[in-house]
Amino acid sequence: MAAVVWITFASLAAAHEVFPTIGDMEVVDGRLTFSLEGNFESIVAGIDLEGLQDTETAPGADRYDVLRAMEPAAFAGAVRAFWPTMTDTMAVLVDGAPAALTLDDIIVPEVGNIDLVRQSTLMFSAALPEDAQSMQIDWPAEFGVLVLRQMGVEEGWDGYLTGGLSEEVDLNVGAQMTALQAFARFIPVGVEHIVPLGLDHILFVLGLFFLSTRVRPLVWQVTAFTAAHTVTLALATLGYVNIPEDNMWIVEAIIAASIVYIAVENIFTDGLNPWRPAIIFGFGLLHGLGFASVLGAYGLPDGAVLPALLGFNIGVELGQLLCIAVAFVIVVAALRLTQSGGTSRRYGLMYIGVAVILLPLLLVPISALGVRAVEAYVPLVFMAAALAGLSAACCVVGGKDSYRAVVAMPASVSIALIGAYWVVERVFL
């Protein structure tokens, strides 16, 4: 099981995460101007970014790799050549009528580490009639998420577009996202970053769970982790802590190392050591920096930074609690049997049925949702099936120590192997 888990997650670790395109919109000298910063190699390559997490396995990935290795002038030329195709699928409406879009400039950074996403800046504009009142943008879903902010007006509009026609935006007044709207909008962003996108954070939280499923030690650990990543997430988001993008690999490598540490400690101890919450707090500070890098990529509404930050953090917590709840539901019956010293073939067969029949059946509707859904959710289904299989063995073996020996230990070994690979991958590969 450990070998299969290792291979499965190792193949996912090389994925290139997809971030939103961040843009500003402003009326300047009678023209409606747009400045969008994003990964335009994926768009020029024709990769469908809707719901995509891994550009490596998408159709057009080879073309994407060629584009991001291009020198700035060459890639700028490729964008200009692609512009007519882009405007065929993207539209800006002024007072309900399509406006002619002009490509003003494309700024491309120098080629650096081609394993990192290159963020270029695309600038285009449209002429405005003298009495123009409103605009809408029709953003294709295949271009991924667009976070667009209206500049130059009081309480400018903030848009989070996943595809389709935006609401009407008043060009003279704006319509800034309210605190409540920002709070509600960023909760699902936080949940999504854990389930299904945050495999490393999921494994860390499960590592906390496997030390002991009793409430008190689990609460101490989760509280320390939550408090820590809340602190650094807030400090980084508000600009008090800044990790350059080129150095984020260090943070990601230490996050992977934290997974290894938690899993290895689970193997060599069967209770909560006095220093473990303090160590978890330290690791939580680093996980918070990881969360902040994602939140920063999504952009925060200028007038509602704190509500958006709070919503994202609550979403992260909901995602973590969901992972713990699923793990608890799967092992609770086996744990109760273990504590009573009994065994049950009936429970064992039930868990085997869940592991090899019920959970694999979930792959049918998941596969119908497309490749991106498979990439996101299959690892989670596999983890649940593996845990159910271990719980089946726990039911059959029984005995006071069967949960630790049959469930917690193998799971921790698997988590340690995955984390160790990620450390190597993030440092050397």
Side-chain angles (χ1 to χ4, degrees):
M1 187 201 73
V4 173
V5 173
W6 188 9
I7 293 169
T8 300
F9 283 93
S11 64
L12 293 171
H16 293 273
E17 192 169 358
V18 177
F19 291 106
T21 298
I22 307 294
D24 292 334
M25 172 190 71
E26 186 175 5
V27 176
V28 179
D29 297 331
R31 296 187 68 82
L32 182 60
T33 64
F34 295 83
S35 178
L36 307 185
E37 182 177 340
N39 174 17
F40 293 102
E41 285 92 344
S42 57
I43 294 177
V44 174
I47 296 176
D48 186 351
L49 298 176
E50 183 180 7
L52 185 67
Q53 286 88 43
D54 181 4
T55 58
E56 288 283 312
T57 59
D62 292 341
R63 171 66 173 159
Y64 169 70
D65 290 338
V66 171
L67 290 170
R68 64 183 180 162
M70 281 185 175
E71 294 298 323
F75 179 63
V79 173
R80 293 183 185 280
F82 182 77
W83 176 249
T85 302
M86 190 170 181
T87 54
D88 284 342
T89 53
M90 176 186 70
V92 172
L93 280 61
V94 177
D95 293 334
L101 300 179
T102 301
L103 177 59
D104 297 323
D105 200 4
I106 171 70
I107 301 174
V108 183
E110 294 292 334
V111 179
N113 184 350
I114 62 172
D115 290 330
L116 300 176
V117 173
R118 179 165 60 176
Q119 298 289 94
S120 302
T121 302
L122 181 71
M123 289 171 279
F124 60 94
S125 62
L128 288 175
E130 289 186 6
D131 58 348
Q133 299 297 315
S134 66
M135 67 77 60
Q136 293 172 279
I137 183 168
D138 190 358
W139 182 257
E142 60 264 31
F143 287 179
V145 173
L146 171 64
V147 179
L148 188 62
R149 301 168 294 195
Q150 184 184 16
M151 310 298 288
V153 297
E154 293 289 336
E155 298 184 350
W157 171 77
D158 298 288
Y160 183 90
L161 309 177
T162 57
L165 191 63
S166 72
E167 60 186 294
E168 284 194 4
V169 180
D170 192 321
L171 292 174
N172 302 305
V173 179
Q176 187 177 49
M177 188 185 301
T178 67
L180 183 59
Q181 288 173 331
F183 174 77
R185 180 166 292 177
F186 277 85
I187 288 177
V189 174
V191 173
E192 183 185 44
H193 185 59
I194 299 298
V195 181
L197 303 183
L199 292 176
D200 48 359
H201 302 298
I202 289 174
L203 290 184
F204 186 87
V205 171
L206 289 179
L208 304 183
F209 172 81
F210 285 126
L211 177 67
S212 175
T213 56
R214 291 181 298 161
V215 173
R216 185 175 178 181
L218 189 58
V219 167
W220 273 111
Q221 295 176 85
V222 172
T223 300
F225 183 63
T226 299
H229 74 63
T230 300
V231 169
T232 46
L233 176 58
L235 291 176
T237 302
L238 297 175
Y240 295 106
V241 177
N242 181 33
I243 303 296
E245 184 178 350
D246 290 346
N247 293 333
M248 275 304 297
W249 67 270
I250 301 174
V251 174
E252 296 297 331
I254 298 176
I255 288 175
S258 73
I259 297 171
V260 177
Y261 176 88
I262 292 299
V264 170
E265 189 179 17
N266 287 353
I267 297 170
F268 290 99
T269 183
D270 58 358
L272 184 64
N273 293 317
W275 60 82
R276 178 149 164 145
I279 292 174
I280 290 173
F281 184 88
F283 287 144
L285 294 174
L286 292 163
H287 281 252
L289 293 175
F291 293 142
S293 68
V294 173
L295 185 57
Y298 276 79
L300 291 173
D302 292 334
V305 172
L306 290 179
L309 175 61
L310 179 60
F312 179 82
N313 201 54
I314 288 176
V316 167
E317 294 313 307
L318 290 175
Q320 293 175 167
L321 291 175
L322 176 61
C323 296
I324 292 175
V326 170
F328 180 81
V329 168
I330 291 175
V331 305
V332 64
L335 183 59
R336 287 177 177 174
L337 286 171
T338 299
Q339 290 173 337
S340 64
T343 62
S344 173
R345 291 183 179 274
R346 179 167 61 89
Y347 272 111
L349 289 174
M350 180 189 71
Y351 273 113
I352 287 294
V354 170
V356 302
I357 299 176
L358 182 59
L359 288 172
L361 283 176
L362 292 178
L363 300 180
V364 177
I366 289 175
S367 62
L369 297 176
V371 175
R372 291 174 293 279
V374 171
E375 294 168 351
Y377 289 101
V378 165
L380 304 185
V381 173
F382 178 83
M383 282 195 295
L387 188 53
L390 294 175
S391 297
C394 182
C395 291
V396 174
V397 173
K400 181 179 179 180
D401 298 325
S402 65
Y403 167 76
R404 173 171 167 75
V406 179
V407 178
M409 294 283 283
S412 295
V413 169
S414 301
I415 291 173
L417 289 174
I418 296 166
Y421 178 85
W422 279 340
V423 172
V424 174
E425 187 269 338
R426 292 170 184 182
V427 175
F428 299 107
L429 303 182

